[in-house]
């Protein structure tokens, strides 16, 4: 066996480092999904009547989909059916009724975030980054709220937003991803528990990165978060989410919905580093990640940019999309998806061009190792009135080893003849020649893989905010780490 | 300090047999290179020249089946290629590989820092390396912007060769194996590459220059010339041997060898 084969094996067998469980007393709803569960969650959150009504409507719609067995099955994914009655839909660490400051947070939870590299104490905070920490079903703490409020920026948990900014939530929640959108969006709309809410007022450039860190802890629980970001006219925000979960033998479900709205001249930059537990070497356990993310460029000249680094989850089903409604608006999707072991990822984007002169860019990089399968699925739709629109798509795959798969499924629908679309794609393997060239310059085979893969991902990494680009590189290296035999 | 090693050879190859995919290519090769010497290895296509270069630098496809390769007193046979590089053995590739997305200067710094780390020396930060690199690019009259491009990607044939010599200058190896550094070069590019090599010659360093043609030896004058045919060094001599090849070709030598065998 050559050294490079050894590394490929090591890559495939790399262990998950965030797999610990936090011992914390939680308030947990009994497993199972019913109208009662929905009412329980809503009551727990002391929600107004209109929220409960919305949830119940979504729940009823979801049950009709379950009855008709309309679980989406078009993705290139294989997994045993999810039993929605086995899942815990609400789990919250017990804490005092109101949190005045972080001293009142369970020290075990604070320690958890420290171990994950996300200190919540403001004196230890990451410079210039505000964090919302979501633990199972609830938001634990949001840092820098006061400082942001001075500029009129609202950054809080979704539960708080429902209480304190009901008019905004009512106006925008479900306006981009209605509960009827798809199976998992319907489920989320019924049972979502928490998530982040950001509102950037007109003309404000958010002075720091906003971050939400999602952590699943309780056994058997699902996480159904809901994130809503609104950028008013001529505002700007850069937002990042991270996620992890303990190692468990059974699969856990994560079904989130994220909605973004940009008004005229506004810009949202949304970055994700997804590191949910991927399952063990045999493919046992891991998170089922079924996420609906969509942004609407509602105003002219507005811009939404998605950047994702997907390294975790047993199953990833995720298509961060942009509706380009305002004239001259811009949508971007930059993605790195690394699958190893028995991970499966079916991910991509949908760019819907509605306004005139709208532009979209798609750069997707899939890396597959072990027995993993990695699919890019994308749709570029240009409506008749979206004249002079432009799209560039590039989807590349890199294979490490010969047991893994890479698939590309791009769809294109153009309804006018003034638009311009380009598509590029290639599939390659890390070649022996590349490894040897690195070796000959003193670089070990393991480091060579990391150098080559980082090079492959460069166009995407350079889109990330600097400190997160470093984090993404480190995460990728960690996933590729192993000793050369 | 390498003067201490006077009298000790840089490279010592004894009765080396080697194969690729089960086919024997080198069939009992002997070669000794001393510090400060430049040896030219010449031979027709398929004689085993590149095999020798790859074998010395540790390419995983090439297997030494018997014999000995000692570099600076250390046995190379079971040594990883990166360890050979870290000890100061450098291969100037005939066909350098492209590594998309990885900047040439970053790549060189990663390599050099691996070497420094292995010697427990301080690594170079970006600023220090940039200065160091800038002090070397003129050796091969290299465009400073080229090192900011991806490794060998979109480089012309000549740029690739110059880039290899630039790396030789950066790594400052004890032993450089140059695998056809002249192939595909026009006269001007050849002069630049040869000039670069000459600047890197020294009394402590050794060079093995593998080439098909005598042309480059007009610029890089070798101390010894060896003719490699069918996996063995069949004739060794001074620089005049290369001129003999230029005039009479390899056929002539092969012919006379065949005659020798018949008469012997």
């Amino acid at each position: 066996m050559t050294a490079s084969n050894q590394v490929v094996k090591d890559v495939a067998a790399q262990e998950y480092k965030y797999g610990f469980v936090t011992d914390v007393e939680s308030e947990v709803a009994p497993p199972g999904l019913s109208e009662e569960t929905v009412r329980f969650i809503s009551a727990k959150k002391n929600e107004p009547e209109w929220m409960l009504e919305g949830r119940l409507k979504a729940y009823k719609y979801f049950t009709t989909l379950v009855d008709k067995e309309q679980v989406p099955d078009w993705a290139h994914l294989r997994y045993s059916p999810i039993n929605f009655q086995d899942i815990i839909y609400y789990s919250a660490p017990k804490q005092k009724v109101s949190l005045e400051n972080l001293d009142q947070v369970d020290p075990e939870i604070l320690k958890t975030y420290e171990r994950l590299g996300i200190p919540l104490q403001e004196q230890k905070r990451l410079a210039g980054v505000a964090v919302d920490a979501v633990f199972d079903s609830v938001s634990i703490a949001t840092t820098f709220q006061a400082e942001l409020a001075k500029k009129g920026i609202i950054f809080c948990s979704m539960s708080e937003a429902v209480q304190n900014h009901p008019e905004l939530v009512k106006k925008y929640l479900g306006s981009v991803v209605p509960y009827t959108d798809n199976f998992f969006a319907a489920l989320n709309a019924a049972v979502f528990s928490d998530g982040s809410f950001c509102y950037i007022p007109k003309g404000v450039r958010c002075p720091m990165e906003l971050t939400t860190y999602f952590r699943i802890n309780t056994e058997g629980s699902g996480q159904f978060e809901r994130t809503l970001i609104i950028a008013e006219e001529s505002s700007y925000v850069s937002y990042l989410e991270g996620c992890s979960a303990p190692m468990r033998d059974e699969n856990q479900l994560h079904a989130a919905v994220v909605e973004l709205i940009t008004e005229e001249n506004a810009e949202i930059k949304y970055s994700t580093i997804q590191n949910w537990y991927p399952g063990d070497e045999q493919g046992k356990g891991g998170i089922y990640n079924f996420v609906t993310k969509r942004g609407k460029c509602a105003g002219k000249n507005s811009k939404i940019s998605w950047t994702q680094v997907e390294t975790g989850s047993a199953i990833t089903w995720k298509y961060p999309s942009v509706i380009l409604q305002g004239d001259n608006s811009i949508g971007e999707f930059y993605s790195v998806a690394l699958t190893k072991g028995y991970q499966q990822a079916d991910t991509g984007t949908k760019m819907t061009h509605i306004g005139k002169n709208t532009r979209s860019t798609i750069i997707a990089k899939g890396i597959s190792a072990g027995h993993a399968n990695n699919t890019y699925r994308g749709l570029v739709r240009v409506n008749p009135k979206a004249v002079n629109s432009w799209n560039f798509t590039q989807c590349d795959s890199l294979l490490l080893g010969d047991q893994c798969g890479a698939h590309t499924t791009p769809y294109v629908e153009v309804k006018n003849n003034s638009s311009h679309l380009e598509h590029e794609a290639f599939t390659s393997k890390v070649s022996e020649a590349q490894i040897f060239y690195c070796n000959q310059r003193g670089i070990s085979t393991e480091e060579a893989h990391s150098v080559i893969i980082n090079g492959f991902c460069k166009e995407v990494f350079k889109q990330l905010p600097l400190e997160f680009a470093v984090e993404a590189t480190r995460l990728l290296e960690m996933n590729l780490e192993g000793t050369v035999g | 300090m390498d003067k201490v090693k006077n009298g000790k050879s840089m490279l010592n190859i004894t009765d080396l047999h080697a194969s690729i995919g089960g086919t024997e290519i080198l069939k009992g090769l002997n070669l000794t290179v001393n510090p400060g010497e430049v040896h030219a290895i010449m031979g027709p296509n398929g004689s085993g020249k590149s095999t020798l270069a790859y074998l010395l630098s540790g390419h995983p496809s090439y297997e030494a089946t018997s014999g000995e390769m000692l570099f600076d007193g250390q046995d190379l046979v079971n040594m990883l290629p990166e360890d050979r590089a870290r000890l100061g053995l450098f291969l100037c590739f005939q066909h350098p590989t492209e590594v998309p997305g990885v900047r040439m200067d970053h790549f060189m710094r990663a390599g050099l820092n691996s070497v420094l780390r292995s010697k427990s020396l301080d690594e170079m930060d970006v600023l220090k390396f940039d200065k160091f690199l800038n002090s070397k690019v003129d050796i091969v009259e290299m465009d400073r912007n080229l090192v900011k491009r991806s490794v060998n990607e979109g480089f012309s044939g000549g740029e690739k060769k110059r880039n290899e010599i630039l790396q030789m200058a950066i790594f400052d190896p004890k032993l450089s194996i140059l695998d056809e550094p002249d192939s595909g070069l026009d006269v001007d590019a050849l002069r630049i590459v040869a000039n670069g090599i000459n600047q890197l010659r020294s009394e402590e360093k050794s060079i093995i220059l593998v080439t098909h043609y005598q042309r480059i030896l007009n610029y890089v004058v070798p101390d010894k010339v060896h003719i490699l045919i069918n996996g063995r060094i069949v004739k060794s001599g001074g620089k005049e041997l290369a001129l003999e090849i230029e005039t009479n070709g390899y056929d002539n030598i092969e012919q006379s060898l065949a005659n020798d065998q018949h008469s012997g």
Side-chain angles (χ1 to χ4, degrees):
Chain A
M1 186 169 62
T2 65
S4 92
N5 278 340
Q6 180 61 46
V7 167
V8 169
K9 287 209 160 175
D10 290 335
V11 166
Q14 181 55 37
E15 275 188 27
Y16 186 69
K17 297 197 174 174
Y18 298 126
F20 59 91
V21 181
T22 306
D23 187 12
V24 59
E25 212 184 329
S26 290
E27 184 174 26
V28 176
L33 182 59
S34 64
E35 192 175 315
E36 212 179 321
T37 319
V38 176
R39 286 181 184 279
F40 173 86
I41 294 168
S42 188
K44 271 284 151 210
K45 302 203 161 282
N46 199 22
E47 284 177 351
E49 192 57 30
W50 58 269
M51 275 295 291
L52 176 63
E53 275 171 25
R55 286 177 181 277
L56 290 173
K57 240 194 255 173
Y59 170 71
K60 290 212 177 82
Y61 180 70
F62 179 73
T63 53
T64 62
L65 295 179
V66 173
D67 291 346
K68 288 188 271 181
E69 294 182 357
Q70 285 183 347
V71 184
D73 59 358
W74 40 261
H76 188 85
L77 301 168
R78 262 185 223 157
Y79 57 97
S80 42
I82 301 164
N83 187 342
F84 293 96
Q85 297 308 332
D86 287 348
I87 295 170
I88 295 169
Y89 289 87
Y90 184 85
S91 168
K94 277 188 182 162
Q95 57 189 23
K96 290 176 187 166
V97 185
S98 71
L99 282 174
E100 290 302 317
N101 60 50
L102 282 167
D103 298 342
Q104 293 168 332
V105 175
D106 189 320
E108 283 299 316
I109 292 178
L110 288 183
K111 254 190 255 166
T112 302
Y113 283 92
E114 292 250 341
R115 272 180 84 176
L116 298 169
I118 305 147
L120 297 178
Q121 287 92 339
E122 295 205 359
Q123 66 270 25
K124 290 188 194 166
R125 66 189 152 73
L126 299 161
V129 181
V131 181
D132 182 21
V134 177
F135 193 84
D136 287 339
S137 303
V138 294
S139 168
I140 298 301
T142 310
T143 61
F144 289 107
Q145 271 179 315
E147 204 171 319
L148 292 167
K150 283 181 204 152
K151 293 203 166 239
I153 297 169
I154 304 165
F155 180 42
C156 63
S157 70
M158 186 58 84
S159 309
E160 277 176 74
V162 169
Q163 301 299 330
N164 303 332
H165 310 283
E167 68 298 340
L168 287 172
V169 175
K170 227 174 180 172
K171 182 175 172 190
Y172 291 107
L173 191 73
S175 70
V176 186
V177 181
Y179 68 87
T180 50
D181 189 82
N182 69 69
F183 186 84
F184 293 101
L187 175 64
N188 177 283
V191 302
F192 79 84
S193 38
D194 221 333
S196 297
F197 176 85
C198 315
Y199 176 82
I200 318 295
K202 188 175 166 179
V204 172
R205 196 181 163 86
C206 185
M208 57 181 85
E209 305 282 342
L210 302 185
T211 297
T212 304
Y213 196 91
F214 296 99
R215 173 78 179 167
I216 296 179
N217 190 59
T218 303
E219 192 164 358
S221 71
Q223 193 173 54
F224 307 93
E225 89 266 4
R226 186 99 194 183
T227 294
L228 178 56
I229 303 176
I230 303 142
E232 290 282 16
E233 199 182 316
S234 304
S235 67
Y236 169 85
V237 64
S238 169
Y239 176 93
L240 184 125
E241 63 170 348
C243 14
S244 64
M247 293 161 72
R248 296 192 203 283
D249 284 347
E250 77 278 10
N251 299 103
Q252 283 180 284
L253 178 63
H254 172 254
V257 172
V258 175
E259 296 174 281
L260 314 180
I261 296 124
T262 50
E263 298 296 348
E264 200 170 320
N265 293 315
E267 178 178 349
I268 297 175
K269 189 174 167 61
Y270 191 108
S271 316
T272 303
I273 293 184
Q274 188 263 106
N275 189 28
W276 295 117
Y277 177 52
D280 69 10
E281 287 170 55
Q282 269 72 48
K284 200 165 189 219
I287 301 291
Y288 285 174
N289 192 31
F290 290 87
V291 173
T292 306
K293 289 182 166 172
R294 193 174 304 147
K296 183 160 80 177
C297 286
K300 280 183 202 165
N301 308 317
S302 65
K303 179 176 173 183
I304 289 176
S305 178
W306 298 100
T307 305
Q308 61 173 21
V309 178
E310 304 280 319
T311 59
S313 296
I315 304 261
T316 297
W317 179 97
K318 184 181 164 188
Y319 315 90
S321 302
V322 184
I323 299 167
L324 296 148
Q325 194 180 69
D327 290 348
N328 312 318
S329 58
I330 297 172
E332 293 175 341
F333 174 74
Y334 299 97
S335 169
V336 165
L338 169 71
T339 48
K340 60 188 199 305
Y342 284 86
Q343 279 178 283
Q344 304 174 67
D346 192 297
T347 184
T349 186
K350 249 190 326 192
M351 293 289 176
T352 308
H353 294 254
I354 297 170
K356 295 184 200 93
N357 309 317
T358 45
R359 299 166 70 84
S360 61
T361 303
I362 299 170
I363 295 185
K365 304 275 180 175
I367 304 156
S368 241
H371 296 83
N373 263 304
N374 206 315
T375 303
Y376 166 80
R377 186 181 305 279
L379 168 63
V380 178
R381 177 184 282 148
V382 180
N383 285 6
K385 288 182 179 164
V387 291
N388 298 318
S389 291
W390 181 92
N391 164 267
F392 174 75
T393 299
Q394 183 183 338
C395 35
D396 302 332
S397 307
L398 188 66
L399 299 169
L400 305 174
D402 51 14
Q403 303 287 310
C404 51
H407 317 271
T408 306
T409 316
Y411 298 90
V412 174
E413 289 172 22
V414 186
K415 302 276 172 59
N416 69 47
N417 55 18
S418 62
S419 295
H420 180 83
L421 282 83
E422 273 178 62
H423 185 97
E424 286 179 13
F426 75 84
T427 300
S428 58
K429 290 180 97 166
V430 174
S431 70
E432 192 178 57
Q434 286 173 324
I435 298 288
F436 181 63
Y437 194 67
C438 292
N439 287 162
Q440 217 304 303
R441 300 301 185 248
I443 299 168
S444 69
T445 300
E446 187 185 314
E447 202 190 333
H449 270 95
S450 151
V451 164
I452 293 162
I453 290 164
N454 270 308
F456 177 74
C457 302
K458 188 178 170 186
E459 284 162 283
V460 175
F461 283 177
K462 73 180 184 198
Q463 299 297 329
L464 289 168
L466 186 63
E467 53 268 56
F468 300 119
V470 173
E471 169 70 18
T473 308
R474 200 183 61 86
L475 186 64
L476 212 66
E477 269 161 19
M478 217 167 74
N479 273 285
L480 296 164
E481 209 171 81
T483 46
V484 180
Chain B
M1 60 168 195
D2 280 310
K3 285 279 176 197
V4 184
K5 287 178 187 156
N6 260 353
K8 187 179 151 192
S9 55
M10 179 70 80
L11 181 71
N12 218 323
I13 303 177
T14 317
D15 194 25
L16 184 66
H17 291 253
S19 58
I20 175 166
T23 309
E24 186 165 68
I25 308 283
L26 297 184
K27 302 165 180 171
L29 187 139
N30 294 292
L31 178 67
T32 299
V33 179
N34 292 313
E37 291 178 349
V38 174
H39 288 231
I41 311 261
M42 300 185 73
N45 290 329
S47 59
K49 303 189 301 290
S50 285
T51 297
L52 178 62
Y54 276 135
L55 198 69
L56 284 171
S57 50
H59 192 290
S61 299
Y62 296 81
E63 193 195 350
T65 45
S66 69
E68 202 179 46
M69 291 186 280
L70 293 178
F71 166 55
D72 207 16
Q74 300 209 49
D75 184 9
L76 287 181
V77 173
N78 289 313
M79 198 186 285
L80 288 170
E82 58 267 38
D83 289 334
R84 301 180 196 203
R86 289 166 188 171
L87 284 175
L89 187 151
F90 181 87
L91 174 64
C92 171
F93 285 74
Q94 188 187 356
H95 303 293
T97 313
E98 295 178 2
V99 189
V102 180
R103 261 171 61 162
M104 195 62 229
D105 51 351
H106 294 177
F107 175 78
M108 285 190 273
R109 190 168 78 91
L112 186 62
N113 279 339
S114 298
V115 175
L116 292 171
R117 221 166 26 239
S118 72
K119 294 177 176 159
S120 306
L121 294 172
D122 284 345
E123 296 184 29
M124 278 199 199
D125 62 24
V126 176
L127 288 176
K128 199 171 168 195
F129 181 77
D130 273 358
K131 250 188 198 165
F132 177 61
L133 181 59
N134 268 326
S135 71
K136 301 288 183 190
V137 286
D138 290 338
I139 288 177
V140 283
E141 298 172 33
M142 186 94 145
D143 179 354
R144 268 153 228 259
N145 290 318
L146 210 61
V147 297
K148 294 191 168 61
R149 297 229 302 259
S150 292
V151 176
N152 293 314
E153 211 180 30
F155 285 36
S156 70
E159 285 169 340
K160 282 185 181 170
K161 298 291 191 191
R162 281 198 261 175
N163 188 33
E164 290 294 296
I165 302 302
L166 172 64
Q167 291 177 71
M168 178 178 163
I170 294 291
F171 285 90
D172 191 26
K174 290 181 197 156
L175 172 64
S176 300
I177 302 147
L178 314 180
D179 190 6
E180 304 203 15
D182 51 342
S183 63
L185 295 186
D186 61 28
V187 179
D188 292 329
L190 179 67
R191 199 181 301 120
I192 292 169
V193 165
N195 191 22
I197 297 168
N198 282 334
Q199 288 180 65
L200 299 171
R201 286 178 79 158
S202 81
E203 282 182 31
E204 296 88 30
K205 315 285 181 184
S206 309
I207 293 173
I208 295 175
L209 200 167
V210 173
T211 181
H212 189 81
Y213 299 106
Q214 187 271 338
R215 198 172 57 149
I216 191 172
L217 304 180
N218 291 334
Y219 301 96
V220 182
V221 180
D223 299 295
K224 295 217 169 100
V225 174
H226 309 278
I227 310 301
L228 182 63
I229 289 176
N230 198 17
R232 278 191 204 99
I233 288 176
V234 295
K235 199 167 184 182
S236 297
K239 61 185 177 196
E240 67 289 345
L241 180 56
L243 290 169
E244 194 186 317
I245 296 293
E246 180 79 355
T247 320
N248 301 327
Y250 294 110
D251 287 349
N252 201 279
I253 292 188
E254 283 178 276
Q255 200 61 51
S256 67
L257 280 173
N259 291 342
D260 285 355
Q261 268 170 7
H262 279 294
S263 58

